[in-house]
């Protein structure tokens, strides 16, 4: 027995050390917090029951640490404590009862209740009102000094009080808070990733942590992090008597205090509001994993003291877990309309946060192999809000050797064609455009709500139409006749009439909907809308894409002698060749503003050791390519990868045929005429940079509503650069090229009315 326990203790210690390191140092955890807690609890229990077996280096002997080697260390003025957990109303009642026993009879406790933010803790020091240091929690006593990075976070005041008319700042104030992404900022970050053709971030908390621990604070500044401040750690000259007063004081100083914080007269009131919080949880701007309940009277909280590393006067109420572990019993393989192959985990059913889950996303095979997820593994699954549950990672300690690796299939399970993995991609694709599964998915997408929205055309109808040879692609839908449909089994007069009517209505969908429905990789409604702002019609966009393809071919022809002779094996040269082979995405956007191409090209191509005169032949084709692709590259919010996707899509003869058929069937191809508030900015082009008084998208709409254009880069055609707070390099560029730089209010003054 002892031996078994000893082995289990060793194994648990080992696993926890690993998880600690992955979480705190690598910022790449493979188990959920709940799973970690479960292992930690098991180890604590075994050690308590068998103190003689506890290891000297047991992870229970210290609190976690997020220290990294990249930052100098900063000591905290007082230990940065953590909180004990409560999971239900009974836990809270017991907690209060234990506290009351330590306090004078007849004590009545009031409380402050606030959301427990799922971010990372930060400790910020102000001396005479000036921010002098910011540190992570670290090991509770010593943190990473991340001052430069925290200073880039706009909700953190660099000087307090922010409002000079407010009370004076204390001589010293050390506050504690939490850094996180607002849900919208995280989505926006992922939209930007997507527009650049980069993989999406999965976990907001880890991304926030990674963002805060950048070595270069300019990288942190690019991420829209937010800080909420909820406590005073230490002070000279800010003596508070209650928690509630503390929050008011922090607010007066100009800190971002969680607006949802509530004062409760007693525990009954707290308990009554719990169901409400759980219901509101998904509607909040930020992710929370529970609530923090603190005794309001600070003198009483002080008297209660600390047990271990947790103050008795506060407790974390954890919402029911949204993560659980279960067995991975199988994999199903899906093929999407682009041919992308996605593995889905089949699970032994498990109850997570109120729902039974038996399938979960595994993202892609690259991720499966990076996380070393194996068939038969016990895996941790997370479910949050409306997103599809996904596998976080395996519980490696639960393996018994019977698990087997998960590999991508050799061929498409639907059509048998070989799968390909494009260079640099994480996904595998079915290479057959006529693959029945791909056709089915394409049509399902085409008729769906966000696309052509054809009512009455569900998966069964689509399958029946394909099986009976009535449609082969999406455009055939518009050539269906009553006669054809009535011949199908189960299609009566009324049904056929309704279906034909909804098909007729779909012909007048907006430009955005029609373009979205084509299913160009990465082009959803937002990007389609941007294209609609800049192109009059789909044929116009198609013509541009075809002109780009033609210019690409001329360029490839001219560049062939350079590419053919080069050594592909050398990594530097390989990178250069990649650029030469993808000039639309890799070269044109870099040289949009170049006054003279030849010195830039010479510098770029130096590693190829060319003879003088070798560069001349590619210069004119590149200029031509830049000119034809400029209308796409200048659209703010459209990254180079998406431009390349657009060109590839429209160059495909199959897609050209589909579009021609749709056009012949009178499907709308035109962008809506914009109704202008004024034409005051007509003919003028603006570049926006820095933070404005409202989101930049709003300023862009304002410019456009008055007839102006907004582009992403400064060129000879730019009329003005509009600079907000902390503008980027665009201002320098403008000054260099003599483009006037104006402020937001100067821009507003240009608008009539
Ligand atoms: S108060 C003495 N309030 O949760 C403890 N903590 O499990 C003071 N947290 O490490 C903490 N939101 O980083 C407090 N509104 C909130 C919080 C909060 C999140 C974090 C904090 C702490 C952990 C405790």
């Amino acid at each position: 027995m002892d031996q078994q326990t000893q082995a289990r203790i060793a194994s648990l210690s080992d696993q926890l050390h690993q998880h600690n390191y992955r979480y705190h140092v690598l910022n790449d955890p493979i188990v959920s917090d709940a799973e970690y807690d479960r292992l930690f609890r098991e180890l604590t229990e075994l050690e308590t029951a068998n103190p003689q077996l506890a290891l000297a280096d047991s992870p229970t002997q210290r609190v976690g640490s997020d220290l990294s080697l990249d930052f100098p260390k900063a000591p905290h003025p007082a230990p940065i404590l953590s909180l004990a957990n409560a999971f239900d109303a009974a836990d809270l009642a017991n907690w209060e009862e234990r506290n009351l026993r330590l306090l004078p009879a007849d004590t009545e406790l009031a409380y402050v209740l606030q959301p427990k933010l799922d971010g990372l803790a930060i400790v910020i020091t102000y001396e005479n009102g000036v921010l002098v240091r910011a540190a992570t929690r670290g090991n509770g006593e010593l943190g990473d000094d991340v001052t430069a990075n925290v200073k880039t976070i706009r909700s953190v005041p660099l000087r307090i009080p922010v409002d000079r008319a407010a009370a004076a700042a204390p001589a010293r104030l050390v506050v504690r808070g939490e850094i996180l992404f607002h849900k919208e900022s995280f989505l926006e970050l992922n939209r930007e990733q997507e527009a650049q053709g980069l993989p999406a971030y999965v976990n907001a908390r880890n991304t926030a942590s990674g963002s805060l621990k950048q070595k270069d604070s300019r990288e942190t500044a690019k991420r829209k992090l937010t800080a909420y401040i909820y406590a005073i750690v230490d002070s000279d000259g800010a003596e508070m008597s209650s928690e509630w007063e503390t929050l008011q004081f922090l607010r007066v100083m100009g800190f971002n205090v969680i607006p949802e914080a509530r004062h409760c007269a007693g525990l009954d009131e707290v308990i009554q509001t719990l169901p409400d919080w759980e219901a509101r949880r998904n509607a909040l701007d930020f992710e929370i994993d529970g609530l923090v309940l603190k005794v309001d009277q600070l003198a009483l909280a002080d008297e209660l003291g600390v047990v271990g590393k947790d103050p008795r006067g506060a407790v974390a109420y954890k919402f029911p877990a949204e993560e659980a572990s279960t067995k991975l019993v199988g994999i199903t393989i899906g093929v999407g309309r682009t041919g992308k192959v996605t593995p889905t985990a089949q699970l032994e059913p498990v109850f997570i946060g109120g729902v039974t889950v038996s399938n979960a996303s595994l993202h892609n095979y690259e991720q499966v192999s990076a996380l070393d997820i194996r068939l038969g593994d016990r895996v941790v699954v997370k479910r949050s809000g409306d997103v599809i549950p996904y596998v976080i990672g395996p519980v490696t300690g639960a393996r018994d050797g019977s698990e087997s690796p998960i590999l991508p299939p050799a061929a498409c399970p639907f059509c048998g064609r070989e799968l390909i993995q494009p260079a640099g991609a994480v996904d595998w694709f079915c290479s057959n455009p006529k693959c029945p599964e791909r056709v089915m998915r394409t049509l399902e997408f085409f008729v769906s709500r966000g696309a052509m929205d054809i009512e009455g055309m569900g998966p069964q109808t689509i399958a029946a139409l394909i099986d009976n040879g009535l449609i082969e692609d999406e455009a055939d839908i518009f050539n269906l006749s009553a006669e054809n449909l009535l011949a199908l089994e189960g299609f009566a007069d009324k049904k056929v009439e309704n279906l034909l009517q909804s098909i007729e209505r779909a012909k007048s969908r907006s430009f955005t909907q029609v373009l979205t429905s084509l299913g160009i990789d990465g082009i959803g409604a937002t990007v389609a809308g941007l294209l609609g702002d800049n192109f009059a019609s789909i044929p116009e966009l198609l013509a541009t894409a075809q002109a780009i393809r033609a210019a690409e071919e001329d360029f490839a022809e001219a560049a062939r002698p350079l590419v053919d002779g080069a050594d592909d094996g050398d990594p530097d040269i390989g990178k250069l060749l990649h650029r030469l082979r993808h000039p639309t995405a890799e070269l044109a956007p870099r040289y949009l503003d170049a006054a003279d191409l030849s010195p830039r090209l010479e510098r770029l191509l130096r590693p190829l050791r060319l003879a003088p005169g070798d560069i001349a032949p590619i210069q004119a084709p590149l200029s031509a390519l830049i000119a034809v692709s400029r209308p796409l590259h200048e659209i703010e919010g459209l990254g180079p990868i998406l431009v390349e996707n657009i060109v590839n899509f429209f160059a495909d003869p199959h897609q050209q045929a589909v579009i021609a058929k749709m056009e012949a069937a009178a499907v709308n191809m035109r962008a809506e005429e914009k109704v202008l508030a004024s034409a005051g900015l007509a003919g003028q082009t603006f570049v926006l940079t820095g933070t404005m008084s409202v989101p930049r998208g709003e300023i862009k709409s304002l410019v456009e509503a008055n007839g102006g254009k907004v582009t992403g880069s400064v060129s000879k055609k730019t009329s003005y650069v509009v600079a907000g707070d902390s503008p980027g390099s665009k201002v320098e560029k403008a000054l260099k090229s003599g483009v006037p730089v104006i402020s937001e209010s100067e821009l507003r003054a240009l608008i009539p009315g």
Side-chain angles (χ1 to χ4, degrees):
M1 173 65 203
D2 242 24
Q3 232 168 27
Q4 250 178 15
T5 314
Q6 194 166 15
R8 183 67 189 154
I9 287 180
S11 150
L12 287 167
S13 290
D14 234 36
Q15 290 179 54
L16 287 163
H17 279 311
Q18 277 302 316
H19 293 321
N20 256 324
Y21 175 71
R22 293 199 71 105
Y23 186 95
H24 292 293
V25 180
L26 302 181
N27 271 324
D28 182 23
I30 53 169
V31 293
S32 65
D33 292 0
E35 199 67 23
Y36 181 90
D37 289 348
R38 190 178 67 75
L39 298 172
F40 196 93
R41 218 173 313 131
E42 185 184 341
L43 181 59
T44 316
E45 279 162 18
L46 287 177
E47 286 179 349
T48 317
N50 310 278
Q52 77 286 2
L53 296 181
L55 299 166
D57 69 348
S58 167
T60 59
Q61 301 298 302
R62 63 158 184 190
V63 291
S65 158
D66 65 10
L67 295 176
S68 114
L69 299 176
D70 290 335
F71 296 94
K73 304 298 159 240
H76 299 306
I80 299 306
L81 301 171
S82 57
L83 296 176
N85 292 331
F87 296 95
D88 52 28
D91 285 352
L92 291 179
N94 287 335
W95 168 70
E96 174 171 78
E97 209 181 293
R98 280 196 305 274
N99 283 343
L100 287 175
R101 261 187 249 135
L102 297 170
L103 296 170
D106 301 335
T107 302
E108 285 190 18
L109 293 172
Y111 294 101
V112 170
L113 184 60
Q114 50 184 313
K116 181 162 159 19
L117 308 171
D118 194 11
L120 48 138
I122 191 79
V123 177
I124 312 178
T125 305
Y126 291 82
E127 279 169 11
N128 298 316
V130 177
L131 187 160
V132 294
R133 195 164 39 259
T136 64
R137 176 169 182 276
N139 59 15
E141 279 165 20
L142 212 60
D144 279 330
D145 185 330
V146 287
T147 310
N149 290 350
V150 168
K151 280 184 174 175
T152 69
I153 301 173
R154 281 158 207 290
S155 46
V156 173
L158 298 180
R159 174 183 286 277
I160 52 167
V162 172
D163 176 359
R164 294 298 177 93
R172 211 170 70 87
L173 182 70
V174 185
V175 296
R176 172 175 178 179
E178 203 82 359
I179 288 185
L180 46 78
F181 276 110
H182 273 167
K183 288 176 186 167
E184 182 48 41
S185 306
F186 190 62
L187 290 176
E188 189 184 318
L189 178 65
N190 271 338
R191 278 195 295 269
E192 278 162 20
Q193 287 286 107
E194 196 184 318
Q196 306 300 329
L198 298 170
Y201 294 103
V202 178
N203 177 307
R205 191 195 171 282
N206 292 342
T207 311
S209 166
S211 304
L212 192 66
K213 294 211 163 186
Q214 293 291 323
K215 282 189 222 167
D216 181 344
S217 59
R218 283 170 301 187
E219 290 304 313
T220 311
K222 287 185 196 155
R223 316 282 180 85
K224 262 208 202 142
L225 293 166
T226 302
Y228 285 96
I229 301 299
Y230 48 66
I232 296 179
V233 175
D234 197 18
S235 83
D236 264 335
E239 273 65 47
M240 302 287 139
S241 65
S242 76
E243 201 56 53
W244 192 241
E245 185 194 355
T246 305
L247 293 184
Q248 309 315 318
F249 170 77
L250 290 170
R251 195 171 277 134
V252 168
M253 286 293 122
F255 291 106
N256 199 19
V257 173
I258 311 172
E260 284 79 10
R262 289 284 167 271
H263 184 270
C264 297
L267 194 67
D268 285 348
E269 197 179 322
V270 171
I271 290 172
Q272 269 166 19
T273 66
L274 294 180
D276 254 14
W277 283 101
E278 278 175 45
R280 278 173 65 195
R281 170 180 190 182
N282 288 327
L284 295 175
D285 291 343
F286 35 73
E287 296 276 354
I288 69 175
D289 54 355
L291 301 170
V292 172
L293 181 60
K294 293 184 184 174
V295 167
D296 188 34
Q297 303 98 319
L298 292 181
L300 296 178
D302 227 33
E303 206 174 323
L304 286 168
V306 173
V307 52
K309 53 191 170 67
D310 308 326
R312 286 199 183 82
V315 70
Y317 171 80
K318 292 285 194 84
F319 290 144
E322 294 207 318
E323 289 175 19
S325 70
T326 183
K327 192 170 170 180
L328 172 59
V329 293
I331 303 285
T332 47
I333 300 170
V335 172
R337 64 192 155 81
T338 60
K340 183 154 94 186
V341 176
T342 45
T344 299
Q346 301 299 303
L347 307 168
E348 261 173 21
V350 58
F351 204 61
I352 314 178
V355 193
T356 303
V357 173
S358 44
N359 304 303
S361 167
L362 284 166
H363 301 297
N364 56 58
Y365 285 99
E366 209 95 321
Q367 174 96 344
V368 169
S369 116
L371 296 175
D372 188 22
I373 300 170
R374 304 182 194 174
L375 196 62
D377 260 339
R378 175 154 285 275
V379 291
V380 180
V381 180
K382 177 164 177 128
R383 180 190 156 263
S384 90
D386 298 331
V387 302
I388 300 166
Y390 62 94
V391 175
I392 297 186
V395 182
T396 47
R399 284 191 180 148
D400 62 11
S402 67
E403 301 76 16
S404 54
I406 299 168
L407 298 171
C412 172
F414 298 96
C415 71
R417 185 75 75 85
E418 171 196 19
L419 299 183
I420 49 169
Q421 189 179 35
V426 292
D427 290 302
W428 288 83
F429 291 84
C430 165
S431 56
N432 174 12
K434 299 234 154 86
C435 169
E437 186 67 7
R438 287 184 61 179
V439 172
M440 183 70 199
R441 298 282 159 249
T442 302
L443 283 157
E444 273 178 1
F445 174 74
F446 186 78
V447 304
S448 68
R449 250 314 144 67
M452 294 301 265
D453 193 7
I454 303 182
E455 217 178 302
M457 192 159 272
Q460 278 178 349
T461 304
I462 297 175
L465 294 172
I466 297 178
D467 290 348
N468 288 281
L470 292 182
I471 56 176
E472 277 185 355
D473 61 46
E474 52 272 48
D476 291 335
I477 290 175
F478 299 103
N479 294 322
L480 288 170
S481 68
E483 203 185 340
N484 287 335
L485 290 172
L486 285 167
L488 298 180
E489 208 184 301
F491 280 70
D493 282 348
K494 193 68 200 160
K495 181 165 168 182
V496 168
E497 193 188 322
N498 287 342
L499 187 55
L500 287 173
Q501 271 175 9
S502 47
I503 292 172
E504 197 54 38
R505 279 198 300 274
K507 290 183 182 170
S508 49
R509 294 290 177 240
S510 68
F511 174 94
T512 301
Q513 276 178 288
V514 178
L515 186 57
T516 306
S517 73
L518 296 179
I520 307 171
D521 200 9
I523 314 289
T526 313
V527 179
L530 291 176
L531 290 164
D533 292 341
N534 290 277
F535 287 86
S537 68
I538 292 178
E540 193 182 287
L541 179 60
L542 181 128
T544 300
Q546 285 177 323
I548 296 174
R549 175 50 48 97
E552 274 176 355
E553 282 164 4
D554 290 347
F555 179 85
E557 188 69 29
R560 183 156 307 127
L562 308 185
V563 174
D564 279 354
D567 171 14
D568 230 335
D570 178 316
D572 283 338
I573 294 185
K575 202 156 113 196
L576 203 51
L577 294 180
H578 175 77
R579 291 188 176 171
L580 289 170
R581 289 185 181 121
H582 297 268
T584 304
E586 298 284 341
L587 296 178
R590 287 190 165 77
Y591 300 136
L592 287 178
D593 308 334
D596 185 0
L597 271 181
S598 81
R600 305 274 305 261
L601 278 177
E602 245 163 57
R603 199 170 337 130
L604 177 79
L605 299 178
R606 197 163 296 149
L608 294 180
R609 299 177 197 285
L610 302 171
D614 278 353
I615 288 178
I618 64 167
Q619 205 171 312
L622 183 56
S623 295
L625 177 62
I626 292 171
V628 288
S629 61
R630 182 181 294 280
L632 284 170
H633 285 307
E634 281 194 339
I635 298 176
E636 172 141 9
L638 190 73
I641 306 276
L642 292 184
V643 172
E644 196 170 55
N645 290 352
I646 291 170
V647 173
N648 287 339
F649 180 89
F650 286 112
D652 179 345
H654 169 74
Q655 302 299 352
Q656 290 170 6
V658 169
I659 292 168
K661 259 199 271 181
M662 281 169 57
E663 209 180 351
V667 174
N668 174 48
M669 298 272 149
R670 298 200 62 76
E672 294 68 46
E673 299 284 333
K674 281 165 254 348
V675 188
L676 296 185
S678 87
L681 303 180
Q684 310 204 51
T685 303
F686 296 80
V687 171
L688 311 178
T689 177
T691 309
M692 314 269 171
S693 67
V694 292
R696 277 221 296 268
E698 271 180 44
I699 306 273
K700 178 170 185 281
S701 310
L702 180 72
V703 169
E704 288 168 351
N706 290 283
K709 239 174 94 171
V710 173
T711 63
S713 67
V714 182
S715 75
K716 279 173 277 180
K717 290 192 190 155
T718 310
S719 320
Y720 295 99
V721 167
V722 186
D725 284 346
S726 324
S729 61
K730 289 172 187 169
V731 165
E732 281 159 46
K733 201 174 246 174
L735 295 176
K736 246 189 247 163
S737 36
V739 173
V741 178
I742 59 173
S743 67
E744 180 187 336
S745 45
E746 284 171 303
L747 165 68
R748 289 180 186 274
L750 291 176
I751 296 168

